[in-house]
Amino acid sequence: MSPSLDVPPHQRVAPHQRIAVVTGASSGIGEATARALAADGYLVVVGARRLDRITSLAEEIGGIGRALDVTDAESIAAFVAGLDRVDVLVNNAGGAKGVAPVAEAVEEDWRWMWETNVIGTMRMTKALLPALIASGDGLIVTVTSVAALEAYDNGAGYTSAKHAQALVHRTLRLELLGQPVRLTEILPGMVETEFSLVRFGGDQERSDAVYAGLTPLIAADVAEVIAFTASRPPHVNLDQIVIKPRDQASARRNTTTG
Ligand code: NAP
């Protein structure tokens, strides 16, 4: 890591220090993953658009917080500057907007979902691949979704973006064969985070209704699995991990829907 990262002296990176990058770490699964990896001894570089949250998380876990918008090439370039060696990249930034049927698709929402989930993952991976290879045992974790496995009514903007994001990740698994990089796709079901709040444009009541009457996962449930994945030895590649609450059997079938 070069001085361009502006790292305070107490955070300078020792040669043996393992480094993890987590995108979308200002809430939910990303924030919990940053905490879990920091607890396991990683220096965690956290990024998202809400810099206030990123800064206080970085302070709390002894990591490095930087503004990051994965839809903006310049923001990504500034975020990765000086990261010459990275052990773990968690492509987590993403989400859904809206629940319109295809016949009423809102293009702005579709563009947001595709740019954040799909192109964001491609850009972050491309930017950090040399640093991951340089570590000698890199790991790319991409948080897709059960929406990368299934179709459901009124979800095509999100399911198509998550399918595409997953295919970027799964293609990398093929293209990087022989390189010292492992790839793990995490496919969560219902996790109570800010996900539904974002999907419903800030409507708290509608968001709460998604999780009413069942026990969803919490962000830490997913984060613990990501940290476990990172703790495996270099020859072990966990390719795909689907994590759902017991109360959920498929993307749209759960104990409240019957
Ligand atoms: P969340 O609490 O809304 O977190 C989403 C994170 O992504 C936030 O930190 C947000 O930060 C960040 N983000 C959004 N746009 C970004 C951008 N352009 N650049 C950088 N960061 C951006 O939701 P979550 O559930 O933790 O979601 C994390 C991932 O899990 C997403 O990829 C989501 O699709 C996936 N997932 C969630 C669920 C679920 O039920 N919750 C299920 C399956 C998969 P800023 O707004 O500060 O930028």
Side-chain angles (χ1 to χ4, degrees), residues 130-142:
L132 286 155
I133 291 171
S135 78
D137 176 30
L139 169 67
I140 301 170
V141 175
T142 302

Side-chain angles (χ1 to χ4, degrees), residues 199-228:
R199 181 170 223 171
F200 296 126
D203 186 335
Q204 188 69 57
E205 216 173 304
R206 225 172 147 198
S207 167
D208 291 346
V210 172
Y211 310 106
L214 56 79
T215 306
L217 300 174
I218 58 167
D221 296 324
V222 180
E224 280 167 18
V225 173
I226 295 174
F228 172 78

Side-chain angles (χ1 to χ4, degrees), residues 78-123:
F79 180 83
V80 303
L83 287 172
D84 305 325
R85 178 178 66 77
V86 169
D87 299 87
V88 178
L89 165 64
V90 184
N91 283 315
N92 166 77
K97 291 241 185 195
V99 280
V102 176
E104 291 157 29
V106 179
E107 281 192 26
E108 198 187 322
D109 289 349
W110 276 61
R111 203 164 285 116
W112 185 92
M113 290 186 268
W114 276 75
E115 284 186 357
T116 310
N117 294 286
V118 187
I119 300 175
T121 292
M122 176 275 286
R123 280 189 172 143

